[in-house]
Amino acid sequence: MFDVLVIGGGPGGYAAALYGASAGLSVAVVEKDKVGGTCLHRGCVPAKEFLETAAAFRAVGGALEFGISVSEPKIDFSVSQARKQKVVDQLWRGLSGLMKGRKIEIIEGVGRYVGRGRVEVSNGRILEGQNVVLASGSRPRSIPGFDVDGKIVMTSDEVLSLESLPSSVAVIGGGAIGCEFASMMADLGAKVTILEALPQILTGVDKEIADVVLKSFRRRGINVHTGVAVSGHTPRADSTGTAVHFGDQQSVTVDAVIVSVGRRPNSEDLVGPEASVDVDQRGFVAVDQFMRTSEQGVYAVGDLVATAQLAHVGFAEAIVAIKHILGEHVVPVDYSKVPWCIYSHPEVAFVGMTEDAARDAGLDIIVKKDPFGGNSRARIVGETDGLVKVVAEKLPDGSAGKILGVHMAGPWVTEQLGQGYLAVNWEATPDEVSQYIQPHPTLSEAFGEAVMALTGRGLHVG
Ligand code: NAI
């Protein structure tokens, strides 16, 4: 009998296991593939590794500006693929070692929760746990007319194991995955077309921030079509590519199609009829704020539940579940204030309310922005696209109250969001935050400048 049985060894599952084991609980994880899950093997980590390849390619291509002559960069994607795999394997070995070191038992096989604390493993073994954490994750979904064959029609799973890059791609869906792949492939020389159903790419991102990405994409030759329905595709007779049909009888001929229209939960066959765990119509396991399912002692975390599908949200949910199991005081995840990071070029990072969302909610707000064009470090680095925008509530006397949202586009903003995240979650005011010094010259001065401007006395920003 284990204290905690976990089904799925991705970020939700391994965080539950590591956190539980470090609190002294006995833990077993049932995993059908490799611990690390989608994030490590087919998602966040490999995608960012390829985006770094694109950054290296851009740096070499732009070296002449610094007086460094090099021949025109060329890419051997099989070498990039091998490097990516090395990075993934090193992290996987590290994670496996860490779990072993904490005495977490990893059981290979497909797990199914069959009620009364029991998990049936595909190898026939029945495990028993005082508590069960369901963390079986998600997988890419496709759309009618686009059967994934791994050659012409791909999802992120296939793209991340390519040995060579297609010379032209249509990316269906301009969300986080679509924009990251579009950015990476365009930088590495592919002709990219994004087909997005909604009126803007990166829906949910502050409009002005998403526009920074849109402008950069268009300047780099990416064709972006928003507000278009994709109706199907007609493969070439020799199967070397296809024509994708969209909008009003338009089409684009490409070597490959990347479908990035969201992910669906892996909940089929996860719970046997003996159990009383509710699964909603879309396949998400229903949970409360403590990640409890409808069956006592059974929790669910990560992409399996209908919350933001982000690895770090999975970590946070796992900690909530384990603390609840331990009977400790638990602060539930505040989903309106989780950090978001998109690693396209330029990068996007944000937390809290967008300007439009705050106005739509009828709030009186003050907004200040600092563009990277005026930031010393951004000029030094040579990446001046983008801005930092801070949204604060407006008090009756006209001064700025709580910081409600911090929104960034530009160089390394994913590494700069921390201060904004703390400010929003701490419910800090610009007066409080602006007394802290930002080192100079740094990119993070842009956040400090925008916050200082909110006090009514900016140094560089009015
Ligand atoms: P997404 O939900 O972020 O974006 C999907 C996009 O596809 C939406 O803009 C949607 O309007 C569009 N779409 C849906 N059906 C369409 C159709 N038939 N034709 C054209 N457009 C269509 O999903 P995505 O990008 O696949 O990512 C999956 C999940 O993984 C998301 O929750 C995302 O937040 C997360 N993720 C986060 C990353 C990050 O934060 N850096 C990176 C990668 C994924």
Side-chain angles (χ1 to χ4, degrees):
M1 170 81 82
F2 292 92
D3 292 329
V4 182
L5 279 179
V6 183
I7 301 184
Y14 74 66
L18 290 172
Y19 197 78
S22 58
L25 300 174
S26 64
V27 185
V29 176
V30 184
E31 168 57 55
K32 66 178 161 113
D33 193 356
K34 286 178 172 171
V35 291
T38 299
C39 166
L40 179 54
H41 300 284
R42 293 174 302 282
C44 324
V45 174
K48 268 87 261 185
E49 206 280 342
F50 283 142
L51 281 153
E52 203 50 39
T53 303
F57 194 87
R58 276 198 316 274
V60 175
L64 198 57
E65 195 192 325
F66 293 83
I68 304 164
S69 317
V70 284
S71 50
E72 202 182 321
K74 288 195 185 70
I75 176 119
D76 178 346
F77 202 67
S78 64
V79 177
S80 316
Q81 182 60 253
R83 182 180 189 275
K84 175 221 89 179
Q85 202 52 47
K86 196 171 144 197
V87 170
V88 168
D89 289 344
Q90 283 165 336
L91 290 167
W92 170 63
R93 277 195 296 275
L95 177 64
S96 308
L98 192 61
M99 293 177 82
K100 215 171 137 194
R102 300 245 176 110
K103 312 255 179 301
I104 296 164
E105 193 173 334
I106 299 171
I107 295 150
E108 211 179 297
V110 180
R112 184 164 184 258
Y113 180 62
V114 292
R116 288 184 290 128
R118 289 175 318 144
V119 170
E120 191 180 87
V121 186
S122 46
N123 63 13
R125 199 169 153 189
I126 303 271
L127 307 168
E128 281 186 82
Q130 292 282 354
N131 298 277
V132 174
V133 177
L134 305 174
S136 51
S138 66
R139 63 185 184 281
R141 64 181 194 88
S142 190
I143 48 175
F146 288 85
D147 292 333
V148 177
D149 62 7
K151 288 194 176 78
I152 292 185
V153 181
M154 296 182 276
T155 67
S156 50
D157 284 359
E158 292 77 28
V159 175
L160 292 170
S161 50
L162 284 174
E163 285 295 321
S164 64
L165 280 181
S167 57
S168 57
V169 289
V171 175
I172 303 180
I177 295 185
C179 285
E180 289 185 352
F181 281 152
S183 181
M184 182 266 285
M185 290 200 166
D187 282 344
L188 295 176
K191 183 86 199 115
V192 178
T193 303
I194 297 178
L195 303 170
E196 165 58 52
L198 293 175
Q200 75 166 69
I201 57 165
L202 297 174
T203 300
V205 174
D206 186 280
K207 175 95 175 55
E208 204 171 352
I209 298 292
D211 277 350
V212 173
V213 178
L214 179 65
K215 275 195 195 121
S216 172
F217 276 11
R218 289 208 160 126
R219 210 169 45 235
R220 281 145 64 206
I222 300 177
N223 278 316
V224 182
H225 297 270
T226 52
V228 291
V230 177
S231 47
H233 74 115
T234 312
R236 282 192 202 119
D238 60 1
S239 298
T240 54
T242 191
V244 179
H245 312 297
F246 64 95
D248 190 14
Q249 309 217 324
Q250 287 172 278
S251 69
V252 57
T253 302
V254 288
D255 290 349
V257 180
I258 300 174
V259 183
S260 48
V261 295
R263 301 179 61 87
R264 54 142 69 141
N266 291 326
S267 57
E268 299 88 352
D269 253 352
L270 177 67
V271 177
E274 314 85 339
S276 56
V277 172
D278 286 347
V279 178
D280 76 13
Q281 277 180 334
R282 294 171 303 157
F284 291 105
V285 172
V287 286
D288 68 4
Q289 58 177 347
F290 300 121
M291 314 318 295
R292 285 184 294 193
T293 69
S294 48
E295 183 169 325
Q296 206 192 344
V298 183
Y299 296 74
V301 300
D303 283 8
L304 186 61
V305 302
T307 56
Q309 291 178 315
L310 300 167
H312 47 272
V313 168
F315 294 157
E317 291 174 342
I319 292 170
V320 167
I322 295 295
K323 281 191 161 183
H324 194 272
I325 287 170
L326 290 165
E328 293 176 358
H329 170 69
V330 195
V331 179
V333 177
D334 181 349
Y335 294 101
S336 67
K337 293 177 184 163
V338 299
W340 285 84
C341 290
I342 298 161
Y343 299 75
S344 51
H345 174 67
E347 290 187 348
V348 169
F350 65 97
V351 57
M353 280 186 140
T354 63
E355 182 175 353
D356 286 349
R359 292 196 198 287
D360 290 349
L363 299 177
D364 211 2
I365 53 170
I366 315 183
V367 178
K368 291 290 175 186
K369 306 165 204 174
D370 190 25
F372 280 110
N375 175 283
S376 318
R377 191 84 193 276
R379 287 272 155 207
I380 294 163
V381 174
E383 289 198 26
T384 50
D385 274 357
L387 73 154
V388 174
K389 173 173 183 174
V390 182
V391 180
E393 67 178 1
K394 189 178 192 175
L395 298 177
D397 67 0
S399 67
K402 270 189 318 210
I403 296 175
L404 301 172
V406 176
H407 305 272
M408 306 175 162
W412 291 101
V413 293
T414 54
E415 297 293 341
Q416 297 176 55
L417 185 64
Q419 303 193 61
Y421 175 75
L422 277 181
V424 168
N425 281 273
W426 219 289
E427 301 187 342
T429 65
D431 275 336
E432 289 162 342
V433 174
S434 63
Q435 67 178 312
Y436 297 109
I437 299 168
Q438 303 289 338
H440 174 78
T442 59
L443 296 167
S444 44
E445 280 176 285
F447 170 70
E449 288 286 339
V451 169
M452 204 178 274
L454 281 168
T455 68
R457 294 184 195 163
L459 278 186
H460 302 88
V461 178

